[in-house]
Amino acid sequence: MEFTAENIKALTFKKRCTGEGSSRRVVPIDDDIVIKIAKNTKGIEQNKAEYSISRDLCAHRMNDCLWMSDDSMYLAATRCKPIKDSEFGEMLHQIADDDGMSFDDFVMECKTNFGLIPGDIWSNSSWGKNSSGKYVLIDFGCTYDIYNRLYMRK
């Protein structure tokens, strides 16, 4: 599939939103890809952060971001199955077994390397399971920097 802002606008125009927060909507365009659509400046900044973080070689537990529009309004990512509350324990074991670290150590690594907010990482809604069965962060765009600049009242 060729990603362009025009193609993405057309593909997402009448599609049902499967997830929504204060700054972005998530719209699946097929079985393999979702588009995160920024609703405001916060969403644009989160798209930029998520795309940048996903390009880092250390980001092996982050969902793959495939493309971002020039204006950062649209972010294409691999579609993952959201995890259920009952899967959280299994996810903790997979991280310990595959990555050789506790979940707490993983959270601190994400905070140190990428500026991610620990509470967001601990949230079930931030996680999904990719097509190969690996648990990955699917919502990791709100960094401390973005939170402090755009969400804190001054």
Side-chain angles (χ1 to χ4, degrees):
M1 167 182 297
E2 181 182 344
F3 292 112
T4 66
E6 292 76 29
N7 288 353
I8 296 304
K9 285 178 192 176
L11 287 169
T12 60
F13 181 66
K14 292 199 176 193
K15 298 276 185 172
R16 185 176 65 84
C17 172
T18 58
E20 187 166 8
S22 64
S23 60
R24 299 187 294 178
R25 290 186 3 233
V26 178
V27 178
I29 57 171
D30 61 25
D31 290 340
D32 301 317
I33 298 170
V34 296
I35 302 298
K36 295 183 180 191
I37 305 169
K39 295 163 48 174
N40 50 38
T41 302
K42 295 171 185 173
I44 288 171
E45 291 301 311
Q46 288 185 25
N47 278 351
K48 288 178 185 177
E50 216 163 274
Y51 187 74
S52 175
I53 291 168
S54 75
R55 311 261 61 64
D56 193 294
L57 292 176
C58 296
H60 62 280
R61 281 280 169 196
M62 311 305 174
N63 191 32
D64 292 330
C65 294
L66 309 169
W67 170 87
M68 185 173 64
S69 62
D70 290 339
D71 62 4
S72 305
M73 286 290 294
Y74 301 97
L75 176 69
T78 303
R79 189 172 184 180
C80 294
K81 181 182 173 188
I83 70 166
K84 300 175 183 142
D85 291 345
S86 59
E87 292 178 274
F88 202 77
E90 180 184 330
M91 182 194 70
L92 297 177
H93 289 293
Q94 186 186 90
I95 289 172
D97 292 345
D98 294 353
D99 301 351
M101 67 175 71
S102 71
F103 192 70
D104 285 334
D105 289 342
F106 171 76
V107 170
M108 287 301 105
E109 184 177 274
C110 290
K111 178 182 175 184
T112 302
N113 292 343
F114 307 115
L116 300 184
I117 300 169
D120 287 350
I121 301 168
W122 273 101
S123 174
N124 281 7
S125 63
S126 293
W127 289 90
K129 196 181 236 186
N130 67 18
S131 60
S132 63
K134 183 178 181 178
Y135 291 103
V136 293
L137 274 170
I138 57 173
D139 185 4
F140 51 97
C142 191
T143 63
Y144 276 112
D145 175 61
I146 291 169
Y147 179 79
N148 288 334
R149 282 189 297 115
L150 302 174
Y151 287 87
M152 290 290 293
R153 295 182 188 236
K154 296 179 178 171

